[in-house]
Amino acid sequence: MVCPSLFSIVTVGENMAAHTSRAFLSLGRINVPGLGLHKSVSRVTYSTGLSTDSSKATTGSPQKGGKKVLSKKYKREPGDPRTELMPVDQDWTAVYPVATPFIPDAIPLPVRMGCPVKGGAPPEKKGNLELIKIPNFLHLTPAAIKKHCEALKPFCTEWPSALDTDAKCDEHFPIKVETKSYVSAGPSIRNPAARIVHLSVKLSSLNLNDQARKKMLKLVGDRYCKDTDILTITADRCPLKQQNYDYAMYLLTVLYHESWKIEAWEAEKTVADMEEYSWEGSLSQENILDVLVRMKEAGEGEGEEVREQLLGRREVQEYKDSVTRLKNEGENESTMLQYKEAVKKVLKL
Amino acid sequence: MLSMYFNIHGGSQQQEAVAAESEPEPLSIFRTQENDPACQSEKHFGQYYTLPSAHVRTVFPHGLPMRYKQQVKTFNEACMMVRPPALEVISSLKKTDNSKPAVRYLFYGLKGSGKTMTLCHTIHFCYTQGWLVLHVPDAHLWVKNCKELLPSSFNSSRYDQPLQATEWLRNFRITNEPFLSKIKTKQRYVWTKRESTEEGSTLGELVDQGITRVKTSSDVVGAVMKELRLQSGQPESDFRLAVAVDGVNALWGRSTIRKMNNTAVDPEELTLVYNLRKLMKNDWTGGAIITTLAQTGAVYTSKYSYLPKELLGEKGFDSMDPFIPVSVPNYSEKEFESCYLYYMDRHWLQYPHSRTEDGKKELIFLSNRNPSMLERICGFH
């Protein structure tokens, strides 16, 4: 522990040894054993490294203050940042013609980026590394894009004048292929998501008869939307877009040809496989004919003719319509009501 | 005026003691004096008519909904509302031709909208007209919670349910007492080596056989159904058969009963269900088949389904086809008014708040005019 008084001794000593260039000061502490540390008596010892006889021949005394007078180098004053000098209606594409990192003095926007100081704002743009690190699209403003388009126009061809409505486009070009391409600021221009190809076509534009259409719907499953009648084939199993496009076209061709083929086992299609309910040959038909025969509606007759006659009746036709509607559309109040009325008429209630 | 004493211990289900016998009541807008269902018409829509207690005991030993039975006990009277679906079916029943095949009616509607009550109303009509009523109160009881399942002696692939069968036979006997001695069997039934029912014996003997010999009760039920089916509509029999089944969707649904090897039993393999299905077909004449859909006791059905095709399934619909579906909706405005006035009259609505317009609006909002919901809510108001 150093006694405060020692400091005063030290300062005096320094003044005294001021003419020396260097003075080493060492403080020694003498431990008296048995007395404890706090009672140690310290003695100050001086030792000077260099000779005390200092020569005044070197530079002027530092006591006088004033450092060495260095030769004054010319330092240019930084002027106003370029943003102050930019007119409002300038051509921005000239300021940023290509992809360039962020230059705070060239961009007249008070942008801030980074983590805000507590109770304060994020750091300003001047000297902001965060703004420089990130990619910017200042070279792709709408004005720049317009210029690009103008430059590309000489290489484009006219839209065919005959295809002026959507309907005509659908009629001549029923297959629509949708792909996405991706642009990003990074070292690589590849993006694996760009290989996906969606091919959509309206089934009404394909030449399919009833059986072929049903088979196509069964083959295709979820890919068909009933409301818009559009079949969408999505291909993404190949690494390249062109390969996926070829695969999708191949799938469409195969589906079309397969749905036209009739296999031998398709004759075993049961009632459970049918897509929609058909009344002919159903249990409902049997029931109603049975009932009417027992009610002796048709008068005396033999099998087939009686059935034919009954089937031709208007009430039976209405009943048939109501049952078909009920089974195909599902139940709601209106279908139920129609069914009720039809049954009442048939049973003559 | 009726004077009533009741002890207030809060809440529902209190016994009322009727102090004085009722003198002719003043004309109330929600009641009608026309207690015969045959004479009710559109002008009685929304009004309550009283069922005589003797009828309640005979016709409905097992048919009324549980909450309604409690209400009958509380109010000491059985009052039923006259509603359009019931009257529609009753008017069709009045015009039924005995020589034509039986027509099938199906009541369907949301939960608690009054299907079972409408069915009971039609059964009451059939009873007053002297028809033979074959009432199966809840077909769901036959496909679930079976305590005893025996293999059938008649057909080894089927299963018997003696307990359910005996109970049903007992109730059938109570309802159709007068017919039991009139109808004679046309066939000989052999139950065991020593027991048999001869041809020409009365239906009563057949039913007694089933009640006393519990093991054969399911087959007795089948025999009863067969006899009635064959005999109704014949020129020599003078009765008409009304088959009423509540919860008919149970016959074509799934059952929760399991066989000894833990596989599920198909309802078709149950004797009772098999015979009832035969009755449901319209190949017999001289009567009518009135049925109700029920989701309340149904197994393996969604709580919100109430339409015929979803509850009956494909098989059920094809078996019932062609039938007349009758929709039973929630109360209309007029019917709600009537019900509200009835509960007020019976002092069922006790809080003064329910007598105000606001209280009435609250009841409408809470119950959405659903009959069973309204009944439950009024118990707390």
Side-chain angles (χ1 to χ4, degrees):
Chain A
M1 199 167 78
V2 177
C3 309
S5 54
L6 275 173
F7 279 118
S8 52
I9 296 169
V10 166
T11 45
V12 161
E14 263 203 300
N15 278 336
M16 278 175 22
H19 58 282
T20 58
S21 50
R22 250 181 285 176
F24 284 108
L25 191 66
S26 68
L27 295 169
R29 201 189 282 176
I30 299 166
N31 278 335
V32 179
L35 281 181
L37 276 169
H38 56 279
K39 280 195 181 164
S40 59
V41 173
S42 356
R43 215 184 279 168
V44 177
T45 52
Y46 286 103
S47 66
T48 48
L50 295 173
S51 62
T52 46
D53 288 61
S54 58
S55 48
K56 290 181 198 166
T58 51
T59 53
S61 66
Q63 231 172 351
K64 296 269 165 62
K67 305 183 183 146
K68 265 199 222 178
V69 178
L70 301 161
S71 53
K72 197 159 186 273
K73 278 195 214 143
Y74 174 68
K75 188 168 179 213
R76 196 161 53 112
E77 281 296 316
D80 284 331
R82 202 170 12 138
T83 52
E84 310 289 322
L85 309 170
M86 282 176 175
V88 176
D89 52 355
Q90 70 175 331
D91 180 21
W92 181 256
T93 54
V95 180
Y96 260 81
V98 286
T100 322
F102 188 90
I103 301 164
D105 285 345
I107 294 167
L109 299 168
V111 184
R112 287 178 175 268
M113 179 149 168
C115 185
V117 178
K118 194 154 183 190
E124 55 174 18
K125 64 176 175 175
K126 208 159 158 68
N128 193 332
L129 190 61
E130 302 297 322
L131 279 168
I132 299 173
K133 281 195 291 192
I134 55 166
N136 64 64
F137 291 93
L138 293 159
H139 57 290
L140 292 175
T141 49
I145 304 284
K146 256 206 184 71
K147 281 196 180 173
H148 296 167
C149 289
E150 290 303 321
L152 285 171
K153 271 208 166 82
F155 303 101
C156 296
T157 53
E158 281 274 329
W159 181 259
S161 54
L163 293 175
D164 42 6
T165 59
D166 267 341
K168 283 198 194 152
C169 292
D170 288 341
E171 183 200 325
H172 294 284
F173 299 96
I175 300 180
K176 296 188 191 352
V177 178
E178 199 181 296
T179 52
K180 274 189 196 166
S181 50
Y182 297 79
V183 181
S184 67
S188 158
I189 58 167
R190 310 286 170 199
N191 191 323
R195 74 188 192 286
I196 302 173
V197 171
H198 301 280
L199 190 141
S200 49
V201 64
K202 276 203 170 160
L203 279 195
S204 47
S205 50
L206 295 174
N207 176 25
L208 296 166
N209 72 0
D210 195 42
Q211 172 266 336
R213 193 191 154 87
K214 287 197 177 138
K215 185 161 178 187
M216 169 81 97
L217 292 180
K218 273 205 200 288
L219 283 171
V220 142
D222 258 347
R223 296 175 185 83
Y224 175 72
C225 171
K226 227 195 296 202
D227 300 325
T228 56
D229 189 38
I230 293 182
L231 163 68
T232 313
I233 300 174
T234 306
D236 63 352
R237 56 172 66 181
C238 305
L240 294 184
K241 188 191 299 189
Q242 185 239 334
Q243 293 168 342
N244 281 319
Y245 170 75
D246 289 338
Y247 180 61
M249 291 301 286
Y250 159 76
L251 276 183
L252 184 64
T253 325
V254 161
L255 276 171
Y256 178 77
H257 288 297
E258 279 298 323
S259 56
W260 269 101
K261 288 188 200 162
I262 303 180
E263 304 279 339
W265 44 259
E266 282 184 39
E268 295 165 21
K269 194 173 180 188
T270 59
V271 174
D273 292 324
M274 295 287 178
E275 293 80 13
E276 45 175 39
Y277 178 77
S278 73
W279 191 75
E280 281 81 24
S282 75
L283 223 64
S284 175
Q285 189 188 20
E286 300 296 321
N287 288 347
I288 193 75
L289 288 175
D290 201 29
V291 168
L292 288 173
V293 162
R294 263 185 286 115
M295 279 164 67
K296 302 201 183 58
E297 286 297 312
E300 305 304 319
E302 301 296 316
E304 271 312 307
E305 311 146 12
V306 176
R307 284 167 69 93
E308 289 305 317
Q309 193 193 17
L310 285 173
L311 280 172
R313 292 241 189 112
R314 201 168 53 91
E315 297 98 36
V316 179
Q317 290 299 316
E318 272 179 26
Y319 173 75
K320 165 189 166 188
D321 290 331
S322 69
V323 171
T324 323
R325 193 169 158 227
L326 194 66
K327 294 248 178 176
N328 282 338
E329 273 179 46
E331 298 175 293
N332 48 38
E333 291 303 309
S334 69
T335 45
M336 269 285 138
L337 219 61
Q338 190 189 9
Y339 176 74
K340 181 167 145 188
E341 296 304 315
V343 171
K344 273 197 180 152
K345 276 202 203 136
V346 160
L347 298 179
K348 298 241 175 14
L349 287 170
Chain B
M1 276 295 261
L2 279 174
S3 51
M4 288 163 277
Y5 301 104
F6 46 93
N7 36 351
I8 304 169
H9 281 303
S12 50
Q13 315 316 322
Q14 300 142 11
Q15 279 287 353
E16 287 181 349
V18 179
E21 196 36 68
S22 54
E23 300 136 3
E25 282 199 17
L27 263 184
S28 30
I29 198 163
F30 59 90
R31 275 195 208 267
T32 171
Q33 303 304 316
E34 190 56 72
N35 287 343
D36 184 13
C39 310
Q40 284 159 358
S41 65
E42 296 90 41
K43 55 182 199 287
H44 299 117
F45 277 165
Q47 293 183 331
Y48 280 85
Y49 82 98
T50 325
L51 284 103
S53 46
H55 282 189
V56 175
R57 266 197 313 274
T58 21
V59 189
F60 301 119
H62 56 174
L64 296 170
M66 182 55 69
R67 285 195 76 94
Y68 184 71
K69 276 202 277 225
Q70 290 169 340
Q71 188 185 300
V72 168
K73 205 161 112 183
T74 315
F75 293 166
N76 227 4
E77 59 174 5
C79 278
M80 225 192 270
M81 196 195 278
V82 178
R83 292 182 79 190
L87 278 195
E88 196 185 318
V89 173
I90 288 176
S91 59
S92 299
L93 287 175
K94 282 187 208 166
K95 292 186 256 172
T96 45
D97 191 339
N98 258 2
S99 55
K100 297 251 176 83
V103 183
R104 289 172 287 204
Y105 303 91
L106 182 76
F107 290 118
Y108 71 96
L110 289 165
K111 200 162 170 171
S113 60
K115 303 181 283 288
T116 311
M117 291 302 290
T118 323
L119 184 73
C120 293
H121 189 171
T122 18
I123 292 172
H124 187 222
F125 164 78
C126 295
Y127 181 78
T128 50
Q129 297 295 303
W131 294 34
L132 202 165
V133 172
L134 200 146
H135 183 37
V136 178
D138 193 357
H140 293 299
L141 295 173
W142 289 0
V143 296
K144 58 181 183 177
N145 302 339
C146 181
K147 294 201 174 51
E148 249 187 64
L149 195 72
L150 306 171
S152 165
S153 48
F154 182 66
N155 185 334
S156 53
S157 61
R158 292 208 279 264
Y159 293 92
D160 272 357
Q161 287 154 295
L163 299 172
Q164 277 94 339
T166 17
E167 202 194 312
W168 184 80
L169 279 172
R170 253 186 233 120
N171 291 323
F172 177 76
R173 188 168 59 178
I174 298 173
T175 313
N176 298 303
E177 203 68 63
F179 290 99
L180 292 178
S181 41
K182 278 197 248 167
I183 302 176
K184 306 259 189 301
T185 56
K186 289 272 176 2
Q187 202 192 326
R188 182 167 184 263
Y189 297 99
V190 180
W191 308 118
T192 58
K193 266 189 261 192
R194 271 167 278 173
E195 287 175 19
S196 63
T197 313
E198 297 301 323
E199 192 182 319
S201 50
T202 59
L203 201 66
E205 284 173 23
L206 195 58
V207 173
D208 288 329
Q209 161 78 28
I211 296 178
T212 44
R213 290 270 178 271
V214 176
K215 273 194 103 161
T216 57
S217 49
S218 319
D219 291 323
V220 166
V221 170
V224 164
M225 288 183 180
K226 184 170 160 190
E227 287 294 321
L228 291 174
R229 200 175 83 233
L230 291 172
Q231 288 193 24
S232 90
Q234 302 304 319
E236 61 263 13
S237 55
D238 54 355
F239 71 93
R240 296 164 93 178
L241 180 62
V243 178
V245 183
D246 198 337
V248 76
N249 45 320
L251 300 180
W252 292 284
R254 289 166 65 180
S255 80
T256 50
I257 311 176
R258 290 186 176 256
K259 295 185 252 213
M260 291 304 290
N261 56 356
N262 226 10
T263 52
V265 171
D266 200 31
E268 211 164 49
E269 295 173 12
L270 298 165
T271 331
L272 291 173
V273 172
Y274 180 76
N275 289 319
L276 192 56
R277 274 200 205 175
K278 281 200 273 189
L279 255 190
M280 289 282 113
K281 278 175 60 169
N282 57 354
D283 47 5
W284 51 276
T285 58
I289 305 172
I290 315 151
T291 61
T292 315
L293 287 179
Q295 195 285 322
T296 323
V299 288
Y300 301 113
T301 47
S302 152
K303 203 163 67 154
Y304 304 105
S305 45
Y306 70 97
L307 290 164
K309 208 153 74 82
E310 35 182 12
L311 280 175
L312 284 173
E314 285 298 323
K315 246 187 2 180
F317 189 88
D318 287 330
S319 317
M320 290 285 283
D321 192 38
F323 63 94
I324 300 190
V326 184
S327 159
V328 181
N330 284 338
Y331 280 154
S332 66
E333 305 235 350
K334 186 172 160 196
E335 289 169 347
F336 176 82
E337 281 294 325
S338 182
C339 186
Y340 176 74
L341 288 170
Y342 176 65
Y343 284 141
M344 292 268 273
D345 174 68
R346 296 280 94 195
H347 295 276
W348 192 234
L349 292 164
Q350 298 210 343
Y351 287 99
H353 176 63
S354 35
R355 287 175 220 279
T356 60
E357 270 305 307
D358 276 342
K360 208 155 100 170
K361 282 195 192 137
E362 193 181 313
L363 286 174
I364 295 180
F365 177 76
L366 284 174
S367 65
N368 196 23
R369 293 207 200 93
N370 181 279
S372 88
M373 271 278 83
L374 181 64
E375 195 256 313
R376 276 163 218 264
I377 287 168
C378 287
F380 295 103
H381 280 64

